[in-house]
Amino acid sequence: MAQSIYITSAEGHTGKSTIALGVLDALMRVSPRVGVFRPIVRPGEERDRVLELLLAHDGVQLDYVDGVGVTYDDVRDDPDRALATIVARFKAVEARCDAVVVVGSDYTDVASPAEFSYNARIAANLGAPVMLVISGRDQQRRAEQLGTTTARTPGEVGQIAALAVAELAVEQASLFAVVVNRADPAQLDATIEAVRAVHSPHTAVWALPEDRSLVAPSMRSILRAIDGRLVKGAPELLDREAFDVVIAGMSMVNVLPRLTADAVVVIAADRTDVLLATLLASASGTFPQIAGIVLNGPFELPESVQTLLDGFTLSIPIVATDLGTYDTAASIMNTRGRLTAESVQRYEKALSLFQTHVDLTELGIELGLAESTVVTPLMFEYGLIERARSDRQHIVLPEGDDDRILRAASILLARDVAELTILGDEQSIRARASALGLNIDAAHVLSPTDPALVERFAEEYARLRAHKGITLQQAADTVTDVSYFGTMMVHTGLADGMVSGAAHTTAHTIRPSFEIIKTKPGVDVVSSVFLMALADRVLVYGDCAVIPDPTSIQLADIAISSAATAQQFGIDPRVAMLSYSTGASGTGADVDKVREATALVRERMPELPVEGPIQYDAAADAAVAKAKLPDSAVAGRATVFVFPDLNTGNNTYKAVQRSAGAVAIGPVLQGLNKPINDLSRGALVDDIVNTVAITAIQAQGDRS
């Protein structure tokens, strides 16, 4: 039977979706089959937002209909029959999973006391322990700022917990944890103690502080709420949150001092003077950066103003609506931020908040989860992030003018994966990040033309390349290139590793490392591996990216470096030296090269399990291995596959990636004295995040 958890609350708007997402994400780290279930959803054609959010998480393999119990109409018509249907549908999901996250109803259709009682009854009948979510904000006591409510005191939170715990006991539901969401950041410890005081001290209690970015509406949500249309600006910036509203119903000179950071500014569409002044203020850099502009009223912009706007390089969203000022303001004020899979920044913030304030190890212990022997791609990627976080390293990202780098940096900083330095113009980079709604405040931003560092790096580079006749002036010109500048940071100890290549060629990225970082003692070549995350295990493929036609000596180097890389990432190295023949069955120059390389590996690393020449099927398939090499310690169980040349390696990793659905993480460069890693120019944000984590882990190994 699957281990399940029922997430519910005694009132609406507690942020259960954030907690559910965090729990689901945590379970995915240790279990390959995690399901999600929503006992009650709204009737009608509209799909449940929370269920959609959870189903979109990588690794959840259920369809929407599988995760639905009944509708509110079904519960009103016959609660007992609805409960029986919920149990039956849940059991169908449970049978397919190792763990199930169940998210209770949303207080949209039933009086709160009755609804909470019914959720408790469902949990008891599903046999799922309850994680109770309590809001640290009072939804009834509205503050006067956009999207905010007043904070509850620790005592008030404790009282609500006491009432909810008593109701759970009445329905025979088992409580295993309480999470106070949106708690007063200054009262976290006091809030936890107040909740612990009302029930068993052994029950886990966590508190997550208020994060306004999770409840503030995005410009996209505002656009929908006012039935608006985007008239100018970048569509991707509609995902930026608005934390305040400025009603610009006054003259230009009075509006400008009232602009606040991340505000949405509401301007009557016929006040073009105020519109232009607000745009100029936003572009000037001397006024706060606003989230967007709403033009209200049934007025078209004059053609001359349209022409003027066309001449602006506008990124800030300008939305138009036919509503009047009052209705526009009221609609904006009543718009809440929603956590969806499409809102990447909000999604990452929610995960980061949960991971920071909930002890994931304790959560797993409380749920009684055992570590799985299977390693899925998602579990492996989680492992990379956790290992990088355990001993934070300093990684430099030279391509600060690429939005993907900024998005990845925001994720990495939110998850506390690494200390980051981004190269580029600080004002431009921070302004772009702000426009994208990204938080990179914790990153260092450094200009590659910084005079003091250029002088220092030039002197060192000229010394290193003196044998090539490089002068100090030539060195000064060279080190202002972002790849050279970043590499010099690593070389001089200002950073522990570098990740680049999203906007540069492989040669541009790694050439400086050949000149400056150089190879480790005993290693003659720089090579690469891909970490191939299959459905249930992770393999290492090398070399698939760097050396076109390695000699036997280079092949031996690749094998030894690949085995070391495998070990560094928790993979027990058993090395297969691949060829088109197995054992002594074949002859020829290509086979002989592999045979010689295998002998060199055994001579240099006698304790390393290695087999070669060996065909791929004999290396990977136990049945074939039994027939061809029955006494081999590697055949049929290989974890490190060393290809005879780049042509074979590159094509094989891509074939396995596409045909077997494997996640190919890399290329991971190996053999360098310090970690430098290259990105594909088509790299996704997730690829960059993984590569930074890998580089950090390599740096940890170099330090130790």
Side-chain angles (χ1 to χ4, degrees), residues 266-556:
V266 179
I267 304 172
D270 61 347
R271 291 299 304 271
T272 54
D273 58 327
V274 176
L275 168 63
L276 295 176
T278 302
L279 289 173
L280 284 171
S282 181
S284 70
T286 56
F287 285 83
Q289 290 292 310
I290 61 175
I293 293 173
V294 171
L295 297 177
N296 73 281
F299 311 108
E300 292 294 328
L301 288 174
E303 185 177 343
S304 57
V305 175
Q306 287 275 15
T307 303
L308 184 59
L309 291 180
D310 289 340
F312 274 95
T313 304
L314 290 176
S315 57
I316 182 173
I318 301 177
V319 174
T321 178
D322 292 337
L323 297 177
T325 300
Y326 176 82
D327 289 337
T328 300
S331 297
I332 294 173
M333 295 290 286
N334 290 320
T335 303
R336 291 178 56 86
R338 296 202 167 198
L339 181 57
T340 66
E342 291 75 30
S343 178
V344 178
Q345 287 85 18
R346 201 184 295 260
Y347 188 94
E348 290 296 336
K349 285 175 185 174
L351 278 179
S352 174
L353 192 69
F354 185 88
Q355 292 166 6
T356 302
H357 295 280
V358 175
D359 187 325
L360 300 187
T361 302
E362 184 183 356
L363 176 62
I365 292 171
E366 292 289 339
L367 281 171
L369 295 174
E371 196 77 25
S372 173
T373 56
V374 171
V375 179
T376 66
L378 193 60
M379 292 164 69
F380 183 70
E381 290 177 354
Y382 281 141
L384 294 177
I385 298 298
E386 288 306 306
R387 286 191 59 191
R389 288 177 63 181
S390 68
D391 180 13
R392 291 173 72 248
Q393 302 292 296
H394 188 165
I395 308 300
V396 59
L397 303 172
E399 299 162 317
D401 55 354
D402 191 302
D403 285 355
R404 292 169 296 169
I405 295 295
L406 299 181
R407 293 184 190 280
S410 177
I411 293 169
L412 290 160
L413 293 168
R415 297 187 183 182
D416 204 27
V417 174
E419 182 180 357
L420 298 179
T421 289
I422 303 172
L423 298 187
D425 176 72
E426 180 165 15
Q427 184 175 345
S428 299
I429 286 174
R430 295 202 184 277
R432 181 57 181 169
S434 177
L436 292 169
L438 304 173
N439 181 0
I440 62 165
D441 291 348
H444 312 284
V445 181
L446 190 57
S447 170
T449 59
D450 178 271
L453 287 176
V454 168
E455 181 180 357
R456 175 182 171 184
F457 292 167
E459 289 175 357
E460 176 64 6
Y461 183 71
R463 183 187 69 80
L464 291 172
R465 303 294 288 172
H467 64 289
K468 294 290 186 180
I470 299 296
T471 67
L472 186 60
Q473 183 57 52
Q474 289 172 322
D477 292 339
T478 299
V479 298
T480 57
D481 176 273
V482 290
S483 290
Y484 277 91
F485 193 94
T487 304
M488 287 302 299
M489 286 187 66
V490 176
H491 172 68
T492 58
L494 295 179
D496 300 307
M498 182 180 87
V499 173
S500 189
H504 294 89
T505 65
T506 295
H508 187 272
T509 297
I510 66 175
R511 184 186 296 115
S513 63
F514 293 158
E515 298 176 3
I516 299 165
I517 302 294
K518 306 208 165 114
T519 58
K520 292 180 178 180
V523 177
D524 292 330
V525 295
V526 175
S527 58
S528 73
V529 295
F530 277 89
L531 302 172
M532 301 296 294
L534 305 179
D536 59 352
R537 64 194 185 280
V538 181
L539 303 176
V540 176
Y541 283 9
D543 173 9
C544 304
V546 179
I547 305 174
D549 188 17
T551 65
S552 58
I553 295 173
Q554 290 174 324
L555 265 184

